[in-house]
Amino acid sequence: MIELRCLGALELHDPQDRREFRSVLAQPKRVALLVYLVLGRPHGFHSRERLFAMFWPESSQPRARKALDQAVYVLRQGLGARVVDRREDGSVRINLQRLSCDALQFEEMLQQGRQKDAVELYRGDLLDGFHVDGCGDFERWLDAERRRLRLQVRDATTSLADADLQRGNLVGALRWQRKAAEWAPYDEELLRKRLELLDRLGDRAGAIRAYERFETGLLTDLELEPSEETRALIERIRAEPARSVSEEWSVDQPDENVERAADLPVPTFPAESRRRSRHRILVGGVAALTGAVGLFAGLLWPGGNASEAGVERTEWSGHRVLVSPLRNETDDPSLDALGRLAADWIGQELATTGVVSVVPWASALRDAPVPAITDSASEEREFWLKLASVAQARYLVAGAYRQVRDSLRFDVQVLDTDSGELVRAINGITGPVSEPAVTLEDVRRRTAAALATAVDPRLASWERVVHPPPSLEAYRLFSSGMDLFLGWMRSGNPAQTMSEATDYFHRAAALDSSFIAPLIWAYYGHHYAGEWPQRDSVVKVVAARRLQL
């Protein structure tokens, strides 16, 4: 199926071989015609007369008919005769069974209640920066569609923020509010919600900076001033007593300020060895997963034998980890506290995974047999590696942060204490200097997921698949599904158990579209539960992502 991407930068290609349809892209009016045929409402066939008025308003009917015929001919030659349909009366349509469009997918996701997927798909305004001379009706239609879609993504993003607020996830809500502001930069209602949330999180300085940026942009671009209501709110925030960075983002904040994964039951199994399943994974059953998907047969179950795949549950909750304060490589000493705060937040999140026990860095430092060395990054890392070894920690989490213009960049590494070798790297997590709390939330969650997937032996063969690491919520759902799946393999529990496992896998994949492993396991789950249509649906989904694999 041909892919048309028109949210943001224009793309038109065949996903099979990434071939671009340059004959179509070379002429702006052909691109405009194609996009209108796909998105113009009502969907379906568009009359010849309407297309004349839209794209050749100054031409006589014979010349307009000739121009339309030529444009349709080029589209059919470039995309294929089956993609562009034409009736005897001259009306034209695009066969949406053979061409997909991200703008249509965006609206379908919203209709299905998949706001998060829709927001992630929305890369930018419709045909951003695109213009066609001499097509006034098309330009007016395009402007109206841009406004309509932008309003939809704004509403979807604010809905996600409100949902996080209701769950008590203030940091998550702030992230969505920032995203909403990208699509509605001069919406004062959104700004006030954001200021109130920043103030509630204790980030008074961040709220002031956000207001000042908004005020400057509003005056420069629209020659307007913020409303009296907005000015009153920022004055109230300004009147509050100033706090230090470490106070503003204290690790002692109530738990309701921190997003937690859903309270999902995680089944456990008896420690004694159980009868190994007589069932063998039929690697040949993956033959339907053509192309890159077939490469995973050996990774999933080497040799196709469950016993060889390590189905015996391994106790991995005994691993100890030390999280050292991240090194401040900015030129601003006032940001020193962020490094210690990051260590505390990462440690808190690691403790919730249940896969490791955390050695408090402050306690380890207090009991250090030698003074800390901080002259260079390498010496500081060696110091913490020695300290982790003394504390009998298997892993050390270390890293640094630096300022790049108006952003902070965090780079984190998970190191093996014995060898000093790199186990996982989580690099390039960035966010505005004005709102470090949001960036730190990303740092801690991605670091926890990276370490969890490194320690969990069930993912030992999946390093390339789970790198970059999945979101922690997706990993938790996947882990719960694996517990059920492996329990079924050992004991032959009823099919209902397998159905529950595949439900976890699908939920994990839905939470993080870059996490492919749950879909591979869902294939096996549906296979053993006898759910053939669902299994075949998974095949299609994974096959469509083979380039990611």
Side-chain angles (χ1 to χ4, degrees), residues 252-527:
D252 295 326
Q253 292 182 60
D255 286 344
E256 64 263 25
N257 288 354
V258 180
E259 181 179 7
R260 297 297 179 195
D263 186 17
L264 297 169
V266 180
T268 57
F269 302 100
E272 66 270 20
S273 176
R274 287 185 149 190
R275 172 180 61 85
R276 295 190 186 273
S277 173
R278 293 190 302 272
H279 299 286
R280 295 171 61 87
I281 298 294
L282 303 178
V283 176
V286 191
L289 296 174
T290 57
V293 180
L295 296 175
F296 287 94
L299 290 176
L300 291 169
W301 297 99
N305 193 306
S307 64
E308 294 172 4
V311 298
E312 290 300 320
R313 182 179 174 87
T314 305
E315 292 300 327
W316 29 274
S317 58
H319 290 294
R320 287 164 63 86
V321 60
L322 172 63
V323 185
S324 67
L326 304 191
R327 182 181 177 87
N328 181 8
E329 295 183 353
T330 72
D331 295 326
D332 187 353
S334 68
L335 296 176
D336 284 346
L338 287 179
R340 298 188 295 275
L341 179 59
D344 289 333
W345 274 30
I346 292 171
Q348 280 188 350
E349 196 72 11
L350 286 173
T352 69
T353 66
V355 302
V356 294
S357 58
V358 179
V359 179
W361 65 266
S363 299
L365 193 61
R366 180 192 61 204
D367 299 333
V370 293
I373 300 174
T374 59
D375 291 341
S376 70
S378 60
E379 290 178 336
E380 184 172 336
R381 188 179 77 163
E382 289 302 316
F383 167 77
W384 284 105
L385 279 170
K386 292 177 181 178
L387 209 58
S389 180
V390 170
Q392 298 183 333
R394 170 71 184 278
Y395 298 101
L396 170 69
V397 176
Y401 53 101
R402 59 187 59 87
Q403 187 166 349
V404 182
R405 293 185 292 276
D406 294 331
S407 298
L408 284 176
R409 172 188 168 117
F410 288 82
D411 297 307
V412 182
Q413 299 85 40
V414 179
L415 304 168
D416 184 287
T417 302
D418 293 334
S419 64
E421 294 181 354
L422 180 67
V423 177
R424 286 283 193 273
I426 310 95
N427 295 328
I429 308 175
T430 60
V433 177
S434 59
E435 296 177 4
V438 175
T439 312
L440 283 181
E441 179 70 6
D442 287 340
V443 170
R444 80 178 197 156
R445 296 168 69 77
R446 287 179 58 185
T447 302
L451 186 59
T453 54
V455 172
D456 189 340
R458 298 172 305 192
L459 289 172
S461 300
W462 289 78
E463 181 173 356
R464 286 176 294 175
V465 181
V466 299
H467 182 77
S471 69
L472 189 55
E473 291 76 16
Y475 168 75
R476 282 173 169 152
L477 289 167
F478 173 74
S479 181
S480 297
M482 286 297 297
D483 283 336
L484 288 167
F485 186 98
L486 297 178
W488 181 90
M489 289 296 300
R490 287 206 299 274
S491 62
N493 286 336
Q496 178 62 30
T497 299
M498 188 58 73
S499 295
E500 292 173 1
T502 53
D503 180 61
Y504 276 113
F505 294 145
H506 281 293
R507 290 164 63 189
L511 272 178
D512 191 335
S513 59
S514 66
F515 192 22
I516 308 296
L519 291 174
I520 304 294
W521 291 100
Y523 169 87
Y524 285 109
H526 288 308
H527 178 82

Side-chain angles (χ1 to χ4, degrees), residues 79 130 141 150 154 184 220 297 303-304 346:
L79 303 177
F130 184 83
W141 171 84
R150 181 181 276 241
R154 180 260 193 201
T220 302
I346 292 171

Side-chain angles (χ1 to χ4, degrees), residues 184-209:
Y186 303 121
D187 189 317
E188 288 200 48
E189 182 181 357
L190 282 180
L191 175 67
R192 287 193 293 271
K193 288 183 177 181
R194 188 177 173 196
L195 297 180
E196 290 170 347
L197 185 51
L198 284 166
D199 184 47
R200 186 175 170 186
L201 279 167
D203 188 1
R204 170 181 170 272
I208 294 172
R209 282 191 290 268

